[in-house]
Amino acid sequence: MKILLAFLLLLPSAFAQLQLFTFDGTSEHPIGLAYDLGTAAVGDAKNVRLRVRNTGDVSVPLQTIAVAGPGFSIFSRPSPGYILAPTAAADFQVQFLPAALGSYSASLTVNTLDIVLRGSASAAAILSLDQTPLLSGAKVDFGRILRGGSSLKTFSLSNTTTVPITVGTVAVTGAGFRGPIGGATSIQLAPGDSTSFQVAFEPAVSTPLQGTLVVDQRTILLTGTGYDPPFPQSTITLAAITPGSGQQVKLSVQLAAGAPRSSSGSLSMEFKSSVAGVTDDPAVQFLATGSRKATFQVAEQDTAAKFGTSSSIVFQTGTTAGTIVFTLTLGETTAQATYVIAPAVPFIDTASGIRRVNALDIDLTGYDNGYSTSQLAFTFFDRSNRPLQTAIKVDTRASFQRYFATSKAGSAFSLIATFPVQGDATIIGAVDVDLTNTAGTKTVLHIPFP
């Protein structure tokens, strides 16, 4: 019990270690038994930053920070029980917000400290937006507005006092903001009267903007963001040819309407093979870039994209069956197009016959986009174009599969078929070659032997 009694006797002296100051962010100024916050306009707020400091050598819990009296309030206070170590300080703010003309007083309590707060109200119009009063320093956001567009907000001024009020200054500053609209820059308000005016946000650029609305002693921060109009929908247009392998195709980009501004866009292509075991074909690419990406430009009011100085770009379809997917990005808009390459019979680029003393060579170059050539058939003719024998058939499935498994050039191939000849080889004038895969048979007619 004696220990408890000694603690209680020390507690008041610990609380007496607290001292109250005003603090302007740099300097502390001690407060006595009373503090006058000065004059604030009716409907506007005046804030003061206070600091409580522990000037003793014993830690002190902050148990009470409160104000009692009309027109005064506290915010940004430390949480109850906050411990102030010796020499430590804690800040809080007192707000004076008079609702009517007159003098005001209140009691500020910090633990055992009691301070009398005073203030007085001057006549001023209340500034409101959507029936919500705006204090000095308030922020009004106009949101995102299309560049070249306009957004209006209506503000009101009201006199709730019993005396006439003159609003000497109503001014709007800042790029993109305009006003007051529909109101004077100097306004007379009789008791009970009100008036309104508008402020416009009209961004000419696509960027966040700031301005101010000044009504006498009050400054309201105005904010808003301009954004560019969206691009019209774009369309990827491919040249009107039958889709297939081994082609060079022109691609263009059309806009549904004139571009709202100059900009650049991107175009990419992705190849999805339909051949089992084949994942890609490196020949599928844009010729101009040697890759699967390209950029383009549009000028304001253009309805077609430019690839450098050309209105189109050429891409290669490669030699593999599958689907090419094009993806376009321009501003916020995207578009896609597909180019489907179906499996086809083998395609022969070149075919020639070579006559030697005791043999005939047949040289073929081409591609098989299905990677499935399984048989070659050769039919020889004499110089009078009469068949010399039935077709000689060769099973080539394994040979082609081994070749395609290691090829880095898609399905392109080059082969030489050699036939030894017993007798007079000069009587042979030409040969037909049939190449068969899963899509069908390709016949190369009458390859001559010079």
Side-chain angles (χ1 to χ4, degrees), residues 239-291:
I241 62 173
T242 302
S245 294
Q247 296 180 347
Q248 294 183 352
V249 183
K250 286 185 177 181
L251 179 153
S252 59
V253 173
Q254 306 296 322
L255 280 66
R261 62 186 185 278
S262 296
S263 184
S264 60
S266 63
L267 189 66
S268 63
M269 57 194 305
E270 177 188 6
F271 179 67
K272 300 178 180 179
S273 170
S274 62
V275 179
V278 178
T279 59
D280 198 12
D281 185 337
V284 178
Q285 60 180 302
F286 293 112
L287 287 180
T289 65
S291 70

Side-chain angles (χ1 to χ4, degrees), residues 123-126 157-166 189-195:
I126 293 177
L157 287 167
S158 56
N159 181 0
T160 61
T161 73
T162 59
V163 298
I165 291 176
T166 298
L189 290 174
D193 278 356
S194 64
T195 188

Side-chain angles (χ1 to χ4, degrees), residues 41-98:
V42 172
D44 204 3
K46 186 171 186 179
N47 297 334
V48 61
R49 183 176 174 182
L50 300 183
R51 169 169 287 179
V52 56
R53 180 177 292 282
N54 182 358
T55 60
D57 54 7
V58 178
S59 295
V60 178
L62 289 178
Q63 295 181 341
T64 304
I65 299 180
V67 66
F72 293 89
S73 60
I74 291 178
F75 60 98
S76 300
R77 77 185 82 189
S79 58
Y82 181 84
I83 302 298
L84 274 183
T87 74
D91 293 351
F92 61 96
Q93 293 200 44
V94 172
Q95 183 178 83
F96 175 45
L97 176 59

Side-chain angles (χ1 to χ4, degrees), residues 162-310:
T162 59
V163 298
I165 291 176
T166 298
V167 180
T169 301
V170 180
V172 175
T173 61
F177 296 92
R178 180 170 62 88
I181 303 169
T185 57
S186 180
I187 301 170
Q188 300 291 327
L189 290 174
D193 278 356
S194 64
T195 188
S196 63
F197 62 91
Q198 291 182 314
V199 175
F201 177 47
E202 299 167 337
V205 294
S206 301
T207 185
L209 297 170
Q210 288 190 349
T212 58
L213 165 62
V214 176
V215 179
D216 284 348
Q217 76 281 2
R218 276 161 288 194
T219 299
I220 309 300
L221 177 63
L222 307 177
T223 62
T225 301
Y227 70 94
D228 282 320
F231 282 93
Q233 188 58 47
S234 303
T235 303
I236 300 172
T237 303
L238 305 176
I241 62 173
T242 302
S245 294
Q247 296 180 347
Q248 294 183 352
V249 183
K250 286 185 177 181
L251 179 153
S252 59
V253 173
Q254 306 296 322
L255 280 66
R261 62 186 185 278
S262 296
S263 184
S264 60
S266 63
L267 189 66
S268 63
M269 57 194 305
E270 177 188 6
F271 179 67
K272 300 178 180 179
S273 170
S274 62
V275 179
V278 178
T279 59
D280 198 12
D281 185 337
V284 178
Q285 60 180 302
F286 293 112
L287 287 180
T289 65
S291 70
R292 292 180 178 174
K293 293 184 180 296
T295 58
F296 59 86
Q297 293 75 40
V298 291
E300 188 170 354
Q301 294 305 313
D302 276 356
T303 57
K306 288 287 189 182
F307 297 89
T309 59
S310 176

